[in-house]
Structures are given as C-alpha cells and as structure tokens.
Amino acid sequence: MVLKWSKKPPFLPLVSLIFMVFIAATIFFIEFKVHHFHQLQDHPHLHNSIDLSSVNLDRFTTCSSTVKYHGRKVDWHERNRLTTVSSDEECDVFSGKWVFDNTSHPLYSESSCPYMSDQLACHKHGRTNLNYQYWRWQPNDCDLKRWNVTEMWEKLRGKKLMFVGDSLNRGQWISLVCLLSTVIPAEKRSMSPNAHLTIFRAEEYNASIEFLWAPLLVDSNSDDPVNHRLGDRIISPDSAFRHLSKWKDADILVFNTYLWWRQGPVKLLWKSEENGVCEELDGQGAMELAVKTWAKWVDSNVNPINKRVFFVTMSPTHQWSREWNPESEGNCYGENNPITQTSYWGSGSDLPTMTMVKEVLAKLGSKVTVLNITQLSEYRKDGHPSIYRKFWETLSPEQLSKPESYSDCIHWCLPGVPDVWNELLFHFL
C-alpha cells in the first residue's frame, strides 16, 4: 500500500503558528526598545557615540586624485559644558618662572635610567654644560606638588597609564618611566619591544605605563612608528579606530598632537570615499577635524570618575635665535640658559592653533584636564638636544661644519623639561 500525503495541508494550524511567531516577535521588539531606551537614559553619551568603522591606511596608501576641501565637518554634536579643568582653584601652576636648583634636581640621572633614548641622552652624546638638568619650575603664587615616587606608584596601582601621540609625547613617556623605574627591582619590571604600542610593566604595582604612536591622533598613513617619513600626509579625519581600539581601556590617558600638522597641506580621505579621492586642507584646518574626532570619542566614552584624560598643549620649538636675541642668526645651538622675559612668545608656538584647541577642549568640560606646558617650555631654549644626540642619518661634512644646520631644537634633553610636564601630571592626579 502506498501512502499519499494530502495535497491540502491543514490550514488552521499553520495560521496559528504564524500568529504565535508574530506575537513573540512583537513582544521581543517592544522589550528591546524599552531596554534600549533605559540604556540611553542611563548612558546619555550613547546618543553621540563614535562610529568604529575605519579606513585602511598605511604608508603605501596613495590618493587616486586630489581636490580642494569642500568644507565637510566631523559629525559631533558639540555641547557646551563647564570650563575645562586646567589649573588649581587657588593657583595657576602654569604661570611662573624657572629657578636654578642643583639640590633637588635633577630627579634622576641620565645614566641611571635603563630606558633612556639616544635621541634625548644629551650628556652621553657630548654635552658638557649640564645646567639644563637643574632648573625647577616655580609657579608665581603657590608651590607645585613635590614629586614623590612612592605616592605616584600608589596612584598607578592596578592601572594602565597610556601616552598617545608623537615623539614629544614619547619623550614625556620616557621621562616618566625614568622617574619611576629606578625604585622597581630589575626582576620585577619589563619593557616590551618598541612598536606601535610600547609597554613598561611594574609587577609589584600591577601597573603599566604605555606609549601609543599616533602622531595625528586619527588614523593616517604615518602610523608606522619607524617608517613615517612620507611625501604626502594622508589622514582619515573621521576615524581613529586603529588607535582607540588600544587606548579605550586605559585608566589614565595623556594625549598630544601638534608638530606634524605644521609640515604643509594634509590630504583627507573620508571613510565614505570609495574611489580614493582625497581632499587637501591646510595643517590647522586638518588638525581641527582630527581633534574634533578625538573629542567626539572623549565626549561619548569618558566618565571622569573612573577614567582620567589629559591633553598636553603644544611643545614649542626654538629655531630662530633672533626671536630672543635680535643680534643673532642661529637657533638653540649653544644656548645654556632659559629666557627670563615672562611675556616671551616665539614662532615655535602657533597662537591661532592654540586658540582652536582651547575652544574644542572647552566643550568637553571636566572630561579632560589640560596640561598647559607651552609657555613654561617657551622659556627653555637651552633644553633641546641640539647636536648632542644620536643622528641615524649620515651627516655631511658641510653640515658638520655648521652645527646650527642640523641642531635638534624640537625635542628635549633628559633629565630636563619633560620631567616638569610629569610633575604637573602628578600634581593633577
């Protein structure tokens, strides 16, 4: 006997099944919307969350063509807040003078730090005048919190502190590692190899002090920590995914960016651009887009109760000695004393850029603390490596005959000025 299935399936059971699925889906959708509503109520920053998609940029990235900037802005719903935290309630620690102090300074010796960079080790590379090590920053109307290495480690216990930025921020990171590492036994500390992210760990405190190479804050073709000397600077102005995926879990973040925006026009490759067409914009305009993308992430993700964010203002250069000595035609080479004129500003500090950054940071209120190192560093024309550092490129006989032609008037000798930047960090922590 052959069994034959009915050609007319039972109608009512099928309708019932469809109805039940519909009811279940409706209940699930309503519960999801209610849950999402409460999530937004509990976490209002989700209204303005950052898009985590990115553009795959590397040092081989090129633009298929370049057009003028069309005025597109970063999608960030800026909200005015209370004033940005930038100084003590009682005293502006960023206004003051440098005092020669060979009793309490330097806070460590160049030779005692096993992690010293050859780019910053000025005594090792021939500098004999060591006065640059003995200057202490003295605010006008109060005292800076006295450095205490044990107290700093206690502040960092169980935490991840990460510096994010360019080689000047790396110098501040090395300074802090030097300030802190000497009290940690060699067998209880470690340093990962130099890379995009470099990590110093202290086992005793379950803490790490890290440096993330991100000179333009947003994703760019210059994110290789070694091979980043490129003809064209290309950024994704609305994406920092490559970097924020590493910095988002840090407990304390110290950001900087500035000098890389002063090297000519910047090419913009937006996330939505599928044909490799770049827009071209001047450095300050491109920097504003990048800083706003960074600020959008801070605004969306930072609760100052459990995550501290610091922004270090621009580090000045001293390329033209005629700015502090009108009779000269050199740079920082041969300088051994600070500038004493308290109102001094050189061309190494771009005031319009400073104003732009200040306006963006002001919208973040207490979510960010500003370390305003610019003017106090302006006085220190004597603090740069000049010719007293390792140069990886071969210097020509003509350069060697004119030391000013290859003097490094951008970075800072250690021990030196960046130690004060870290004293300020300690003061606000």
Side-chain angles (χ1 to χ4, degrees), residues 155-162 206-208 210 246-254 297 302-310 429:
K155 291 177 184 292
L156 299 179
R157 184 181 289 278
K159 291 184 170 61
K160 176 192 295 187
L161 186 161
M162 184 181 294
N206 186 31
S208 65
E210 309 182 8
K246 293 181 171 60
W247 82 46
K248 62 186 177 66
D249 295 325
D251 302 286
I252 304 167
L253 285 157
V254 183
W297 178 85
V302 172
N303 180 343
I305 295 175
N306 52 36
K307 186 187 290 285
R308 293 295 305 275
V309 174
F310 294 86
L429 279 175

Side-chain angles (χ1 to χ4, degrees), residues 16-309:
S16 300
L17 178 63
I18 293 173
F19 181 73
M20 291 174 65
V21 170
F22 173 76
I23 293 296
T26 302
I27 293 172
F28 175 80
F29 177 75
I30 293 172
E31 288 183 346
F32 171 79
K33 294 297 288 184
V34 170
H35 173 74
H36 184 61
F37 172 78
H38 286 299
Q39 189 180 40
L40 289 175
Q41 292 296 103
D42 294 337
H43 304 283
H45 65 268
L46 292 178
H47 286 291
N48 193 32
S49 60
I50 193 167
D51 182 2
L52 297 183
S53 59
S54 64
V55 176
N56 186 25
L57 290 177
D58 59 33
R59 62 193 179 96
F60 302 107
T61 299
T62 58
C63 300
S64 62
S65 62
T66 301
V67 298
K68 286 186 177 181
Y69 174 58
H70 289 118
R72 180 175 173 181
K73 304 297 182 183
V74 171
D75 180 23
W76 174 40
H77 303 295
E78 304 170 4
R79 292 171 286 183
N80 288 310
R81 301 175 182 273
L82 298 175
T83 183
T84 309
V85 178
S86 59
S87 63
D88 272 341
E89 293 180 0
E90 300 177 355
C91 175
D92 179 5
V93 294
F94 306 118
S95 296
K97 61 183 179 181
W98 290 94
V99 176
F100 190 80
D101 181 355
N102 59 1
T103 302
S104 65
H105 283 61
L107 298 172
Y108 59 92
S109 68
E110 179 187 294
S111 59
S112 70
C113 180
Y115 309 108
M116 179 61 65
S117 167
D118 274 335
Q119 189 180 40
L120 313 174
C122 301
H123 181 42
K124 175 182 176 180
H125 289 92
R127 184 163 180 172
T128 56
N129 185 310
L130 303 182
N131 286 352
Y132 66 91
Q133 299 185 3
Y134 301 119
W135 294 96
R136 173 175 55 82
W137 179 246
Q138 178 61 56
N140 286 328
D141 302 314
C142 59
D143 291 323
L144 197 59
K145 183 178 175 67
R146 187 177 181 85
W147 172 259
N148 184 304
V149 64
T150 303
E151 184 179 347
M152 185 61 167
W153 270 123
E154 288 300 332
K155 291 177 184 292
L156 299 179
R157 184 181 289 278
K159 291 184 170 61
K160 176 192 295 187
L161 186 161
M162 184 181 294
F163 291 84
V164 181
D166 58 22
S167 59
L168 289 159
N169 211 20
R170 180 167 54 201
Q172 186 176 355
W173 167 70
I174 293 171
S175 162
L176 188 59
V177 170
C178 290
L179 283 163
L180 292 173
S181 64
T182 53
V183 299
I184 305 297
E187 67 275 10
K188 293 189 175 183
R189 66 184 189 224
S190 64
M191 179 74 82
S192 71
N194 183 41
H196 183 211
L197 177 65
T198 310
I199 304 171
F200 172 82
R201 288 189 175 89
E203 177 185 324
E204 180 179 353
Y205 290 91
N206 186 31
S208 65
I209 307 170
E210 309 182 8
F211 172 71
L212 179 67
W213 174 259
L216 300 162
L217 291 184
V218 293
D219 296 340
S220 78
N221 66 340
S222 303
D223 292 338
D224 187 310
V226 178
N227 299 306
H228 48 248
R229 294 188 178 184
L230 306 170
D232 286 328
R233 197 77 68 208
I234 305 174
I235 68 167
S236 176
D238 52 348
S239 171
F241 177 73
R242 177 185 297 150
H243 306 308
L244 70 84
S245 63
K246 293 181 171 60
W247 82 46
K248 62 186 177 66
D249 295 325
D251 302 286
I252 304 167
L253 285 157
V254 183
F255 292 93
N256 92 316
T257 189
Y258 169 53
L259 276 176
W260 282 50
W261 302 102
R262 291 171 63 90
Q263 300 176 9
V266 178
K267 296 186 186 303
L268 316 176
L269 186 58
W270 296 89
K271 286 186 299 186
S272 59
E273 176 54 54
E274 298 178 353
N275 299 315
V277 178
C278 296
E279 294 183 329
E280 187 170 88
L281 184 59
D282 64 273
Q284 182 181 323
M287 179 179 174
E288 182 174 0
L289 293 173
V291 172
K292 284 186 175 180
T293 293
W294 166 84
K296 179 180 178 181
W297 178 85
V298 173
D299 196 24
S300 303
N301 295 275
V302 172
N303 180 343
I305 295 175
N306 52 36
K307 186 187 290 285
R308 293 295 305 275
V309 174

